[in-house]
């Protein structure tokens, strides 16, 4: 820690002592519960809300440290537990670029939150500030928000208590109740010195997207009505704000918007329900809104950073899911076509690539690679996909569960802006590519923005849900959650497609796979729950089920359960 040149060492020491005192006072109000171990995992801290106030206080301290370390760059804090049930809550930090927190700081978050006493918290805080070379005299800037959970206000209070120990050196921007992706947008826009990304508030977000969407739809609207399941969460608020800005071109019918009904959040609805059950939310089934052929609906998750679409088969009436893989494939193919039409000169040629995880349906990967679209496979978790997508000129990334976005590299935007089109067709393609780069959230996967992306592509293709679905047929698959005494004995490698430990288990899984036509299976420890996940895919539903059972048994055997 260096001291400000204007202060004498004595004053600086006094100030430091006051700060530590102030931290101690706050920490005493938020003692850590015994026998709980907190971990900053793939999606930040997430557990029963009643356990979280001390964590929020400490996250407040860490957010300020991070901002001061980055000379006052704005850091985001989001209080949400996404698709988890209502009694849970969570918190995650957003870095100045609008991306997830730098992974090296995840360990600092975990360390601070697990300090058992006020004394150990003070000592860990001091060590961190010294080792990370944080100048505590720097200013700090924080933007924060929460979803609609009833536990939110108390947690925000604990977070603000953490900020308050630093006194006036911290500037706060409370966005109130909003979605995770809007918070990421505001962080990115606040830190963007060029001022080009957008106005750093919710209104700026709505205006930016609405303008880009209108450009893309042109005179193609009004589009066919779209039913949106808001998971009884914050997406409902964001959607109604947005549609008020957008006007008539997309007739949106919001469903499951009961944000104040106790227990309704994510209950029998939302993207996670639809994807894991591979079925309509009962409320939508009963409403009969999808009975009209080719009617599209989509579901957000509880903090509106995931989306899946679906419709009912025209003749069979069966449920048809259009998940993250289907979105990635349609969007990558479409953007690829636009790039060809743009006819950029040789040195500015742009490549569209796709990033997936091992959970991507085998058919989607095959579809893309057979059409010369490069595909990268990375471990689960948005940060891995995001970083891999940054390596393409235009990087489309989606997890099968509907988490994803499309990143346009700076040089790609420059190439598009400086191109001199040879024909009206290529001028149009360039204009549309630029409008897509404005419409798509460049910080993180965003249900609202992805919804508009899908609608814009469908409108340009002149497709309904069934034409979109026709591209490829998903291979039947099963995802099984296996509870084991210690998930840490399972170590996955090769983008989580293979197990390194327990030794010998991978060979057995591969032997099982060989018994099924197009069989593919992998095992990985969950990053968010105390369990191991088994994925199996094969040519028929029965084969996928049998493979899942066989591999689940192998996992249980390896962990001594059978
Ligand atoms: C987190 C991840 C999500 C991933 C999921 C997997 C972020 C923001 N979220 O929710 O991308 O699909 O974890 O959970 O990174 P699992 O490890 O329990 O299967
Ligand atoms: Mg979410």
């Amino acid at each position: 820690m260096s001291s400000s040149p204007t202060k004498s060492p004595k004053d600086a020491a006094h100030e430091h002592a006051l700060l530590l005192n102030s931290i101690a006072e706050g920490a005493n109000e938020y003692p850590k519960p015994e026998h709980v171990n907190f971990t900053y995992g793939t999606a930040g801290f997430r557990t029963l809300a009643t356990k979280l106030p001390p964590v929020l206080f400490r996250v407040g301290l860490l957010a300020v440290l991070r901002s001061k370390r980055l000379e006052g760059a704005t850091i985001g804090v989001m209080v949400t537990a996404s698709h988890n049930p209502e009694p849970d809550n969570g918190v995650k930090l957003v870095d100045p670029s609008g991306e997830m927190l730098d992974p090296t700081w995840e360990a600092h978050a975990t360390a601070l939150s697990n300090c058992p006493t006020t004394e150990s918290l003070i000592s860990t805080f001091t060590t961190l500030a010294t080792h990370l070379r944080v100048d505590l005299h720097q200013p700090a800037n924080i933007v924060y928000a929460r979803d609609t959970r009833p536990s939110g206000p108390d947690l925000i209070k604990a977070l603000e208590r953490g900020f308050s120990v630093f006194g006036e050196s911290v500037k706060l921007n409370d966005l109130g109740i909003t979605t995770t992706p809007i918070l990421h947008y505001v962080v990115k826009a606040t830190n963007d010195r060029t001022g080009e990304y957008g106005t750093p508030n919710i209104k700026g977000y709505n205006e930016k997207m609405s303008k880009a969407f209108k450009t893309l739809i042109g005179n193609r609207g009004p589009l066919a009505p779209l039913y949106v399941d808001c998971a009884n969460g914050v997406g409902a608020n964001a959607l109604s704000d947005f549609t008020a800005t957008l006007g008539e071109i997309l007739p949106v019918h919001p469903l499951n918007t009961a944000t104040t009904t106790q227990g309704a959040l994510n209950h029998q609805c939302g993207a996670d329900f639809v994807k894991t059950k591979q079925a309509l939310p009962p409320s939508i089934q009963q409403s009969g809104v999808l009975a009209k052929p080719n009617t599209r609906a989509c579901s957000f998750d509880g903090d509106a950073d995931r989306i899946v679409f679906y419709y009912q088969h025209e003749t069979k009436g069966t449920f048809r899911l259009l998940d993250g893989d289907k979105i990635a494939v349609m969007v990558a193919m479409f953007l690829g076509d636009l790039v060809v039409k743009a006819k950029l000169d040789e040195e500015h040629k742009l490549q569209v690539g796709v990033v997936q995880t091992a959970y991507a349906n085998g058919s989607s990967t095959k579809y893309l690679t057979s059409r010369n679209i490069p595909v990268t496979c990375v471990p689960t978790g948005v940060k891995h996909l995001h970083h891999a997508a940054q390596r393409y000129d235009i990087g489309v990334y989606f997890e099968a569960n509907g988490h994803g976005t499309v990143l346009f590299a700076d040089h790609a935007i420059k190439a598009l802006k400086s191109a001199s089109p040879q024909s009206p067709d290529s001028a149009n393609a360039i204009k549309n590519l630029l409008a897509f780069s404005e419409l798509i959230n460049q910080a993180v996967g965003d249900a609202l923005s992805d919804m508009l992306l899908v609608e814009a592509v469908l409108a340009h293709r002149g497709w309904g849900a069934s034409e979109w679905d026709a591209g490829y047929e998903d291979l039947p698959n099963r995802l099984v959650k296996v509870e084991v005494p210690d998930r840490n004995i399972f170590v996955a490698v090769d983008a989580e497609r293979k197990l390194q430990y327990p030794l010998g288990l991978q060979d057995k899984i591969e032997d099982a796979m060989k018994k099924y036509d197009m069989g593919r299976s992998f095992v990985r420890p969950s990053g968010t729950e105390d369990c191991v996940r088994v994925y199996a895919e094969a040519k028929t539903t029965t084969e996928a089920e049998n493979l899942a059972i066989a591999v689940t048994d192998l996992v249980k055997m390896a962990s001594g359960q059978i």
Side-chain angles (χ1 to χ4, degrees):
M1 207 172 8
S2 67
S3 54
S4 147
T6 54
K7 286 195 178 82
S8 74
K10 202 171 145 208
D11 285 350
H14 179 63
E15 216 174 82
H16 189 61
L18 285 180
L19 171 65
L20 297 187
N21 253 338
S22 170
I23 296 178
E25 270 174 33
N28 288 338
E29 292 163 31
Y30 290 102
K32 177 188 174 287
E34 279 176 39
H35 316 299
V36 191
N37 192 33
F38 298 109
T39 312
Y40 194 101
T42 346
F45 293 106
R46 200 179 287 183
T47 185
L48 211 55
T50 48
K51 294 184 183 165
L52 278 170
V55 174
L56 269 286
F57 172 76
R58 292 150 193 238
V59 165
L61 303 183
L62 192 74
V64 173
L65 272 189
R66 179 106 183 113
S67 176
K68 285 179 183 277
R69 174 69 184 88
L70 301 173
E71 295 164 6
T74 299
I75 294 292
V77 184
M78 182 71 201
V79 176
T80 179
S82 184
H83 58 274
N84 286 37
E86 194 167 289
D88 288 354
N89 213 326
V91 60
K92 57 185 167 190
L93 292 169
V94 177
D95 257 358
S97 59
E99 293 172 20
M100 306 287 167
L101 176 68
D102 179 331
T104 57
W105 278 60
E106 292 178 4
H108 309 324
T110 300
L112 271 187
S113 66
N114 286 311
C115 294
T117 60
T118 295
E119 290 67 40
S120 66
L121 177 63
I122 299 281
S123 125
T124 305
F125 175 87
T126 312
T127 313
L128 278 180
T130 311
H131 283 176
L132 298 167
R133 286 176 305 184
V134 180
D135 177 356
L136 289 166
H137 297 97
Q138 287 280 346
N141 287 284
I142 315 278
V143 189
Y144 58 107
R146 64 178 173 96
D147 69 14
T148 52
R149 278 161 212 272
S151 55
D154 265 1
L155 296 183
I156 291 286
K157 221 168 105 198
L159 179 72
E160 287 172 337
R161 186 71 183 92
F163 301 148
S164 75
V165 304
F166 297 91
E168 286 177 4
S169 67
V170 184
K171 291 230 162 22
L172 300 176
N173 178 4
D174 178 6
L175 293 185
I177 296 179
T178 196
T179 70
T180 298
I182 293 181
L183 186 266
H184 282 257
Y185 162 87
V186 174
V187 172
K188 187 175 174 69
T190 307
N191 288 304
D192 172 34
R193 297 242 163 91
T194 69
E196 282 172 15
Y197 191 65
T199 313
N201 53 37
I202 299 176
K203 189 162 170 266
Y205 168 92
N206 285 326
E207 284 170 357
K208 174 176 170 150
M209 286 213 300
S210 149
K211 183 168 167 230
F213 190 65
K214 283 178 182 157
T215 304
L216 285 164
I217 297 306
N219 54 12
R220 292 175 176 84
L223 307 176
L226 174 67
Y227 292 86
V228 185
D229 160 21
C230 300
N232 295 317
V234 66
N237 305 13
L239 187 65
S240 82
D241 271 9
F242 176 72
T243 45
T245 314
L246 181 67
E248 305 290 300
I249 53 173
L250 177 62
V252 169
H253 298 275
L255 304 167
N256 297 325
T257 57
T259 54
T260 52
T261 306
Q262 211 191 340
L265 178 66
N266 296 322
H267 182 66
Q268 305 265 52
C269 60
D272 198 61
F273 175 91
V274 172
K275 173 72 183 163
T276 44
K277 299 265 185 269
Q278 310 211 358
L280 287 182
S283 54
I284 299 192
Q285 177 82 52
Q286 283 145 23
S287 72
V289 291
L290 292 190
K292 195 162 159 245
N294 237 347
T295 305
R296 305 155 344 285
C298 59
S299 287
F300 294 178
D301 73 337
D303 63 338
D305 64 354
R306 273 169 63 178
I307 186 168
V308 294
F309 279 74
Y310 41 92
Y311 70 107
Q312 279 180 328
H313 193 279
E314 192 168 341
T315 47
K316 297 182 205 150
T318 46
F319 169 81
R320 299 284 307 177
L321 180 65
L322 297 156
D323 62 1
D325 298 339
K326 287 269 181 182
I327 299 175
V329 167
M330 176 171 74
V331 167
M333 295 304 295
F334 183 74
L335 295 178
D337 288 353
L338 276 187
V339 165
V340 171
K341 281 193 197 138
K343 290 207 168 66
L344 299 175
D345 52 36
E346 236 3 91
E347 61 179 306
H348 293 123
K349 279 259 171 305
L350 300 178
Q351 185 179 47
V352 178
V354 175
V355 183
Q356 300 186 312
T357 70
Y359 288 109
N361 197 277
S363 295
S364 69
T365 316
K366 198 168 152 205
Y367 185 93
L368 290 165
T369 47
S370 67
R371 283 160 183 78
N372 292 324
I373 304 250
V375 179
T376 314
C377 183
V378 297
T380 302
V382 170
K383 62 184 176 222
H384 301 296
L385 289 114
H386 193 92
H387 290 142
Q390 284 170 328
R391 291 197 281 273
Y392 290 114
D393 304 327
I394 300 178
V396 179
Y397 75 81
F398 272 90
E399 291 187 315
N401 65 19
H403 222 142
T405 192
V406 182
L407 300 182
F408 288 75
D410 287 345
H411 67 260
I413 300 288
K414 278 201 195 106
L416 291 166
K417 284 190 173 159
S418 62
S420 18
Q422 305 302 316
S423 68
D425 254 12
S426 65
N428 219 7
I430 290 167
K431 184 189 89 184
N432 286 335
L433 280 166
L434 285 169
F436 274 113
S437 77
E438 292 286 311
L439 180 69
I440 302 168
N441 192 322
Q442 296 297 289
V444 77
D446 179 339
L448 195 56
S449 156
D450 289 339
M451 174 186 96
L452 299 171
L453 163 64
V454 164
E455 289 300 307
V457 174
L458 289 175
H460 276 250
R461 291 282 200 211
W463 286 354
S466 58
E467 289 89 351
W468 169 15
D469 195 16
Y472 66 88
E473 189 62 28
D474 272 330
L475 283 172
N477 56 84
R478 279 290 167 268
L479 183 60
V480 186
K481 175 174 161 177
V482 191
E483 276 164 20
V484 292
D486 180 11
R487 72 178 149 147
N488 297 319
I489 67 165
F490 296 87
V491 178
V493 290
D494 186 21
E496 299 176 332
R497 288 172 292 194
K498 290 200 164 82
L499 275 183
Q500 186 175 24
Y501 297 106
L503 285 175
L505 182 53
Q506 184 59 34
D507 290 343
K508 291 182 186 151
I509 295 173
E510 277 167 33
D511 287 344
M513 273 156 51
K514 279 183 208 140
K515 294 189 186 131
Y516 300 93
D517 202 2
M518 305 179 81
R520 182 168 74 92
S521 180
F522 63 91
V523 174
R524 57 175 275 279
S526 157
T528 62
E529 285 181 84
D530 200 7
C531 68
V532 161
R533 301 206 196 278
V534 170
Y535 178 86
E537 163 182 296
K539 192 156 184 202
T540 65
T541 307
T542 318
E543 284 177 296
E545 268 162 17
N546 288 342
L547 178 56
I549 293 168
V551 175
T552 301
D553 284 348
L554 289 172
V555 166
K556 287 188 177 157
M557 254 184 267
S559 55
Q561 288 170 290
I562 48 176

